[in-house]
Amino acid sequence: MGLQPLEFSDCYLDSPWLRERIRAHELELDRTNKFIKDLVKDGKNLIAATKSLSTAQRKFAHSLRDFKFEFIGDAETDDERCIDASLQEFSNFLQNLEEQREIMALSVTETLIKPLERFRKEQLGAVKEEKKKFDKETDKNYSNLDKHLNMSSKKKEPQLQEADVQVEQNRQHFYELSLEYVCKLQEIQERKKFEFVEPMLAFFQGIFTFYHQGYELAKDFNHYKLELQINIQNTRNRFEGTRSEVEELMRKIRKSPQEHKRAGPFTMEGYLYVQEKRPAPFGSSWVKHYCMYKKETKTFSMFPYEHRSGGKIGEGENFTLKYCLKRNTDTIDRRFCFDVEASERPGLLITMQASSEEDRLLWMEVLGGKESRFLSLSRSITRSEGGAQLDQHGFAVVKNCINAIESRGINDQGLYRVVGVSSKVQRLLSLLMDVKTGCDLDLSVTEEWEVKTITSALKQYLRSLPEPLMTYELHEQFINPAKSGSPESRVNAVHFLVYKLPEKNKEMLHLLIKHLANVSSHAKKNLMTVANLGVVFGPTLMRPQEETVAAIMDLKFQNIVVEILIENHEKIFSGPPDESVIEPTSISPRAPPRQSRRQRSKRPVAVYNLCLEIDNDNNNSAKEDTPTGSMDSLSPSLTPLAMCTNPSYEKNHLIGDATEVLEWVASDLPGRKAKAVYPCEAEHSSELSFQVGEIFENVHISREPGWLEGTLNGRRGLIPQNYVQFL
């Protein structure tokens, strides 16, 4: 489990647990900041002296190996896991470079030191400034609240009202700063992966250039570099989509916080001041507690917590509520007070003070068992009954749009990403959804409507359905396979779930996915690869029923599900899955990532405008039937400088058939036995599939980095090295 998401709605409760989660994020950023400082220092040592180059590189490699990215949520995408594993890969490459020490290029300053320092100063530095503001405002807010609550009720009413207004203004300002700080913390956690790894890629390329035997090492590194570059770009694309959704949720919560409170186990929770009586002549004191109440069981829990004393949670107390009674100001010199009695302590009243009259009324109604006049804490999402529907007319609208897009704009760059003018989109959508005008409007022949207007109208129509096309009920089941398992098991799981959809949903999904597959087949011209289409249509086809930060963090897995549908649409929609395919359940334990192999399916690759180069012996254009998928997404931050289409690339990087010749490192020792500690499904005919506990015979180190060669049930093949344990 990584860092817990910081929910915007919790900012309005400011609970001790929110503070603990914020502190965990802050500690992680401090660790990252310290790590970057050390890494920058190590990089400068490489430039300072050739004599100390070996030592500096070894320390640098150790720093990379020991650092691990944290993530928000309960799982990572394949791209994120590759990014996480990249530091270990970089460490291994540095160990190889140590054997061939040569002069270090001065360009290290530009490719590594400056980007990391810029990231640390501009990004991490900005978070530190936000933290100072947040801590200062916390002290100010609760100090003002303490002073306000200590005001005598005997003051004149205008003075009390003025004080109430001032406290409310301070509280709203504090909430605004809290929302901004929480958003910034989560953004920097997601941003740091690609902001850090990109300079590392450029740095490694620079090292190879200035070493006598760097060319041979660069050839081994080149394919991994390109794959990782694509992993970074995919992660960046998903980050941009996730950030826009998070910002939209933050705007909704800022506008109406009561309507976006998360459903929780407690009927009511928040801060109350509890009167603690002391022996005479010391009187009494008021201690702030975070209180929680379950109406069903009448269980009241409270924990002392003081924000300004380091935020340590005190020992909690639980009791069963017997009754609650309002305290009038003529019986106590404080406002907003009420008494409660515990069933376990008859006759002993506990006096509590709310933060406002409205807060007291809410507590009184909840504790008194009355129906609250406030909104329910568990928000239900309601959709308009009218509008878009999966009926005969709805299918006609979608087919009309698809026919127009495929006949008029299939090669338009940024198809579906470039949005139309909002007013035109709404006007077209109104015409299409009207049964009379929609039947007479043929978008494939009229030039009145731009293609970008039609694509935006289609997306808006799908988003306007009463529930998402892939349904709320199956949302979590679709997400789970994308978080774990092998590529084959993911396809099987999605295949199974598609046939659990209502028939009309499945039919509409088939129509749309077939169209998106056609769009991706023209990716060389429209730049809309499978990964880019996943980013666009993930939130359109799939939505959680409750909008939370945790749900938005799963947006990247929605994109992966759409990618699976597009890449495997012929298999999935050709018929129901085999009876041997079992129903997907919860997330299974994840095996460690496999070492990437040099042979991969041929894909067009985009290259960053850095010092990274691709071997390109000739300028032959790419074949039109080159497959596209989630590993070749393009965006404005990339420039397609070169395509890996030359014969040497095709020979070295295409996966061969089962009869390909595998080269192994010679060993004087006889082959050893090894035991599988993780299950594995082969992704290629030269690899072995196996379950936990199976024994391999005659195991040797393979020439493929990170792989072994062994025999299982009479068959010889490749085994991921970190999936087995030698006996």
Side-chain angles (χ1 to χ4, degrees):
M1 186 69 181
L3 295 171
Q4 295 187 33
L6 303 175
E7 297 294 345
F8 293 128
S9 58
D10 289 346
C11 293
Y12 288 83
L13 294 174
D14 199 18
S15 69
W17 294 271
L18 173 66
R19 291 293 178 143
E20 292 296 320
R21 292 195 292 271
I22 289 176
R23 188 172 293 108
H25 280 255
E26 291 171 344
L27 290 175
E28 172 59 22
L29 289 183
D30 288 340
R31 188 170 72 98
T32 302
N33 182 58
K34 182 179 183 302
F35 171 69
I36 292 178
K37 286 181 65 176
D38 294 340
L39 201 60
V40 167
K41 180 180 179 181
D42 296 339
K44 290 180 178 179
N45 287 338
L46 296 179
I47 303 171
T50 304
K51 293 181 181 180
S52 60
L53 180 60
S54 177
T55 303
Q57 285 190 159
R58 190 174 293 110
K59 185 178 185 299
F60 191 69
H62 289 169
S63 297
L64 291 175
R65 183 193 62 194
D66 295 339
F67 184 77
K68 186 181 186 306
F69 290 115
E70 288 290 355
F71 59 91
I72 298 176
D74 59 1
E76 294 179 287
T77 64
D78 290 340
D79 292 312
E80 289 175 326
R81 290 201 308 277
C82 289
I83 290 176
D84 292 343
S86 66
L87 299 185
Q88 181 65 47
E89 295 285 345
F90 293 147
S91 178
N92 294 337
F93 282 124
L94 271 180
Q95 296 296 342
N96 294 332
L97 288 173
E98 168 58 21
E99 300 172 1
Q100 311 168 39
R101 71 184 72 138
E102 290 288 342
I103 298 176
M104 177 66 71
L106 294 178
S107 62
V108 173
T109 301
E110 297 297 325
T111 59
L112 177 67
I113 304 300
K114 287 185 178 180
L116 289 181
E117 288 180 332
R118 186 163 54 249
F119 173 72
R120 179 172 163 266
K121 292 177 181 179
E122 296 177 1
Q123 300 298 331
L124 297 180
V127 175
K128 286 187 176 181
E129 291 301 317
E130 290 290 333
K131 174 176 169 52
K132 291 179 182 178
K133 294 179 182 178
F134 179 70
D135 291 341
K136 182 178 179 181
E137 194 62 26
T138 297
D139 290 340
K140 179 181 176 182
N141 179 64
Y142 288 104
S143 294
N144 289 340
L145 182 60
D146 287 348
K147 292 178 182 178
H148 179 66
L149 296 176
N150 281 318
M151 287 181 63
S152 173
S153 59
K154 298 186 171 44
K155 287 184 176 292
K156 294 182 179 180
E157 186 61 25
Q159 290 180 302
L160 295 176
Q161 291 179 356
E162 182 180 357
D164 289 346
V165 171
Q166 183 63 39
V167 166
E168 183 60 26
Q169 290 177 348
N170 291 337
R171 182 185 295 114
Q172 291 302 320
H173 182 60
F174 170 72
Y175 290 157
E176 288 288 327
L177 279 179
S178 180
L179 286 170
E180 295 292 342
Y181 183 55
V182 163
C183 183
K184 189 67 176 177
L185 278 177
Q186 297 185 114
E187 176 182 331
I188 199 67
Q189 294 287 11
E190 291 292 295
R191 179 189 291 273
K192 66 180 181 182
K193 295 184 178 180
F194 54 79
E195 289 282 3
F196 172 71
V197 177
E198 279 181 325
M200 292 300 307
L201 282 173
F203 165 71
F204 275 87
Q205 187 64 26
I207 290 179
F208 292 133
T209 306
F210 293 93
Y211 276 82
H212 178 65
Q213 297 181 2
Y215 176 72
E216 291 298 325
L217 289 171
K219 284 202 303 184
D220 292 337
F221 178 70
N222 192 55
H223 184 72
Y224 176 77
K225 174 195 69 179
L226 296 175
E227 278 194 342
L228 181 58
Q229 180 180 303
I230 296 166
N231 297 142
I232 293 169
Q233 186 56 32
N234 288 339
T235 303
R236 182 194 294 275
N237 288 344
R238 292 172 184 136
F239 164 77
E240 293 297 338
T242 301
R243 182 174 64 174
S244 64
E245 294 287 336
V246 168
E247 290 174 348
E248 177 62 24
L249 177 59
M250 185 173 68
R251 283 193 291 270
K252 291 179 181 178
I253 289 182
R254 179 185 286 124
K255 182 178 179 181
S256 182
Q258 289 290 337
E259 293 182 6
H260 288 80
K261 287 187 176 181
R262 287 191 303 153
F266 300 104
T267 312
M268 183 71 178
E269 57 182 315
Y271 284 102
L272 292 171
Y273 285 74
V274 179
Q275 185 182 36
E276 294 187 355
K277 298 180 180 179
R278 299 177 181 177
F282 299 105
S284 62
S285 63
W286 294 83
V287 180
K288 184 171 60 178
H289 286 67
Y290 192 82
C291 302
M292 299 165 288
Y293 179 67
K294 288 185 179 180
K295 189 173 183 179
E296 296 80 4
T297 60
K298 292 192 173 183
T299 303
F300 195 101
S301 305
M302 56 184 188
F303 296 84
Y305 188 81
E306 177 53 61
H307 291 80
R308 295 166 297 174
S309 62
K312 185 176 180 181
I313 303 175
E315 185 176 351
E317 180 181 357
N318 298 306
F319 58 84
T320 303
L321 181 70
K322 184 176 181 181
Y323 74 87
C324 173
L325 182 65
K326 179 181 177 181
R327 284 289 294 270
N328 295 321
T329 54
D330 57 352
T331 63
I332 190 170
D333 191 24
R334 283 199 173 211
R335 298 186 299 160
F336 320 138
C337 294
F338 59 92
D339 293 335
V340 297
E341 182 178 345
S343 299
E344 296 85 350
R345 291 175 287 181
L348 180 61
L349 296 180
I350 303 174
T351 302
M352 298 183 177
Q353 182 182 26
S355 58
S356 66
E357 182 61 27
E358 183 182 23
D359 193 32
R360 176 170 68 171
L361 286 174
L362 184 56
W363 276 103
M364 290 285 296
E365 292 183 7
V366 171
L367 297 177
K370 301 175 183 178
E371 289 294 327
S372 173
R373 60 186 177 86
F374 295 91
L375 292 172
S376 172
L377 295 181
S378 56
R379 180 175 58 91
S380 60
I381 298 177
T382 58
R383 302 284 181 184
S384 173
E385 295 298 327
Q389 297 291 334
L390 290 179
D391 52 13
Q392 183 177 359
H393 181 68
F395 275 85
V397 169
V398 174
K399 289 177 181 178
N400 193 356
C401 293
I402 288 176
N403 291 337
I405 295 166
E406 294 190 347
S407 62
R408 294 173 50 200
I410 195 70
N411 292 321
D412 290 1
Q413 285 195 6
L415 188 66
Y416 282 111
R417 271 201 164 179
V418 179
V419 297
V421 179
S422 178
S423 59
K424 293 182 179 180
V425 172
Q426 292 300 325
R427 189 156 58 92
L428 174 58
L429 204 53
S430 299
L431 291 174
L432 289 171
M433 293 175 68
D434 188 292
V435 177
K436 295 180 180 179
T437 58
C439 295
D440 299 331
L441 182 61
D442 188 351
L443 295 174
S444 60
V445 296
T446 179
E447 297 292 332
E448 178 184 356
W449 303 99
E450 296 177 285
V451 173
K452 64 181 182 181
T453 304
I454 300 174
T455 57
S456 297
L458 176 57
K459 289 187 293 182
Q460 184 60 39
Y461 186 86
L462 294 170
R463 279 181 174 255
S464 301
L465 292 171
E467 70 170 343
L469 197 57
M470 298 172 73
T471 71
Y472 292 129
E473 181 182 356
L474 296 178
H475 180 81
E476 284 299 323
Q477 295 183 53
F478 272 111
I479 288 292
N480 285 340
K483 295 182 177 180
S484 63
S486 66
E488 182 181 358
S489 65
R490 293 178 183 180
V491 175
N492 289 338
V494 172
H495 191 178
F496 182 91
L497 292 169
V498 163
Y499 284 82
K500 291 183 68 176
L501 289 170
E503 188 61 33
K504 287 186 177 180
N505 294 61
K506 179 165 68 68
E507 184 180 347
M508 179 65 82
L509 185 64
H510 183 193
L511 176 66
L512 185 65
I513 295 299
K514 183 179 179 181
H515 163 63
L516 296 182
N518 187 21
V519 172
S520 68
S521 67
H522 293 76
K524 290 186 181 65
K525 294 183 178 179
N526 61 33
L527 303 184
M528 292 305 294
T529 61
V530 173
N532 283 341
L533 290 171
V535 171
V536 173
F537 279 90
T540 300
L541 301 181
M542 302 178 66
R543 291 193 306 277
Q545 194 155 8
E546 184 180 11
E547 289 183 281
T548 64
V549 173
I552 292 175
M553 289 304 168
D554 278 347
L555 187 65
K556 52 196 173 187
F557 298 108
Q558 297 175 197
N559 304 345
I560 292 173
V561 172
V562 175
E563 292 176 22
I564 292 172
L565 287 169
I566 297 174
E567 289 184 319
N568 302 275
H569 71 283
E570 292 182 353
K571 173 184 176 181
I572 291 174
F573 293 102
S574 62
D578 296 336
E579 294 181 359
S580 59
V581 177
I582 61 174
E583 181 175 359
T585 54
S586 59
I587 302 175
S588 60
R590 183 181 299 283
R594 306 186 202 182
Q595 176 85 17
S596 58
R597 297 176 55 203
R598 288 194 295 270
Q599 299 88 358
R600 290 295 180 199
S601 300
K602 180 181 176 184
R603 297 178 185 271
V605 182
V607 181
Y608 289 96
N609 261 331
L610 298 174
C611 60
L612 309 179
E613 298 177 354
I614 301 177
D615 296 335
N616 198 3
D617 296 333
N618 58 52
N619 296 322
N620 294 337
S621 61
K623 298 178 182 179
E624 285 296 320
D625 59 351
T626 304
T628 59
S630 61
M631 295 296 290
D632 54 14
S633 55
L634 303 172
S635 81
S637 62
L638 290 175
T639 303
L641 299 178
M643 308 294 278
C644 297
T645 57
N646 57 78
S648 62
Y649 179 89
E650 188 164 354
K651 177 180 67 177
N652 293 330
H653 295 277
L654 285 176
I655 299 180
D657 57 25
T659 61
E660 70 179 325
V661 178
L662 300 176
E663 297 179 298
W664 314 105
V665 174
S667 175
D668 296 332
L669 299 175
R672 300 171 60 186
K673 289 185 177 182
K675 180 181 179 181
V677 293
Y678 295 102
C680 176
E681 291 185 35
E683 298 179 7
H684 181 253
S685 57
S686 63
E687 301 171 9
L688 295 177
S689 296
F690 49 86
Q691 298 298 322
V692 175
E694 293 196 83
I695 305 298
F696 302 92
E697 304 284 347
N698 196 23
V699 179
H700 288 281
I701 300 294
S702 167
R703 183 142 185 191
E704 293 284 357
W707 292 77
L708 304 172
E709 178 194 10
T711 303
L712 178 64
N713 299 327
R715 184 172 179 270
R716 193 89 178 149
L718 292 175
I719 309 162
Q721 186 173 347
N722 54 350
Y723 276 53
V724 300
Q725 182 178 25
F726 280 105
L727 300 177

